[in-house]
Amino acid sequence: MTDTTDVALPPLMAIRARIARAAGLAGRDAAAVNLIAISKTRDEAHIVPLIDQGQRLFGENRVQEAHAKWPALTERYRDVRLHLVGQLQSNKAEDAVRLFDAIHSLDRPSLLGALARAMDRTGRRVPLFVQINIGEEAQKGGCALAAVPALLAEARAADLPLAGLMAVPPAGVEAAPYFALLRKIAADNGLDGLSMGMSDDFETAVMLGATHIRVGSALFGPRGDQPSALPSP
Ligand SMILES: *Cc1c(COP(=O)(O)O)cnc(C)c1O
């Protein structure tokens, strides 16, 4: 275990307890909820204590940042898994397929060919979540609601491994209706995975069926207001 005596431990246990309570209220098995620790902008000094506490699933939103940060860590901690939760450019598809164990940001048909080629070349079949612009917001990433059936059909035609749907609801309003809508679209399309819920709303997401919740600041503290890096032990 890393010496963390001078550092407040990230509240992983508290988050796990809240997941268990929310799952229990909904009659769900908490083990069906995958907690993705979103470690974007955090460095090893923040990440390793979480690994030491048993967290094995992490998420990053930029391929380049993940590439700089994770290979050294996954070399040391072989059972750590990494998910991409940010926008993916076609020219980074192969890097992403090599680096990540799931991709939550398939949002347009033009990515399909790049991902299919990358999976062929690497021999890796990386589960994909189709990201939906669930609130139909102008600035927001994700596939438009009306374009979802066609994107899913094209992904299936290309024999890509579809894991489910992902969304980030509009900020500042109740997220539950958007989570419920995402769940309905997934059910209508025969998809099991639901990547939804972040620090402020993961309990609601768990109650509404999330299989993957993406939690950053509730685990690591607010971004841009992090403790300074720890000296090496
Ligand atoms: C940063 C990020 C999160 C985590 O957000 P928090 O509010 O810090 O929990 C979740 N999902 C995506 C796509 C993100 O970019």
Side-chain angles (χ1 to χ4, degrees):
M1 185 105 178
T2 308
D3 183 359
T4 50
T5 35
D6 290 329
V7 184
L9 290 175
L12 176 62
M13 302 309 148
I15 302 275
R16 283 190 183 156
R18 288 168 62 189
I19 293 168
R21 195 178 325 115
L25 285 170
R28 299 187 63 206
D29 180 358
V33 180
N34 295 281
L35 169 62
I36 309 174
I38 303 296
S39 49
K40 63 187 182 199
T41 77
R42 321 291 177 169
D43 59 21
E44 255 189 61
H46 302 99
I47 292 168
V48 168
L50 224 52
I51 297 176
D52 284 340
Q53 290 174 73
Q55 179 66 26
R56 287 296 178 271
L57 180 55
F58 290 83
E60 291 283 342
N61 72 333
R62 293 173 60 225
V63 176
Q64 233 156 343
E65 180 183 342
H67 205 280
K69 204 156 80 181
W70 277 97
L73 282 165
T74 47
E75 183 71 22
R76 246 151 76 205
Y77 304 98
R78 297 253 171 201
D79 55 347
V80 161
R81 296 291 173 265
L82 202 56
H83 287 198
L84 177 64
V85 301
Q87 241 226 335
L88 178 59
Q89 287 160 355
S90 294
N91 64 1
K92 300 257 169 64
E94 187 166 331
D95 284 345
V97 163
R98 288 186 194 280
L99 195 55
F100 292 97
D101 300 291
I103 293 172
H104 293 235
S105 49
L106 171 56
D107 60 355
R108 58 194 189 280
S110 63
L111 264 180
L112 294 171
L115 284 168
R117 276 191 300 281
M119 290 191 202
D120 280 348
R121 263 200 298 271
T122 59
R124 283 170 54 80
R125 281 180 68 75
V126 176
L128 303 172
F129 290 78
V130 169
Q131 182 177 351
I132 299 184
N133 185 352
I134 198 78
E136 310 208 77
E137 297 171 277
Q139 309 295 332
K140 203 76 155 252
C143 180
L145 280 171
V148 169
L151 181 56
L152 290 175
E154 283 190 58
R156 286 183 164 131
D159 195 29
L160 287 167
L162 283 181
L165 302 179
M166 178 275 211
V168 181
V173 297
E174 174 58 54
Y178 297 99
F179 293 154
L181 177 58
L182 195 71
R183 178 172 65 177
K184 182 184 183 324
I185 298 169
D188 288 350
N189 288 282
L191 293 167
D192 295 328
L194 281 174
S195 169
M196 59 188 198
M198 316 199 325
S199 289
D200 290 337
D201 52 23
F202 68 85
E203 287 152 303
T204 304
V206 166
M207 289 190 268
L208 288 168
T211 61
H212 294 71
I213 59 174
R214 310 177 309 266
V215 178
S217 44
L219 278 170
F220 291 102
R223 276 181 296 280
D225 183 26
Q226 303 161 41
S228 55
L230 300 172
S232 312

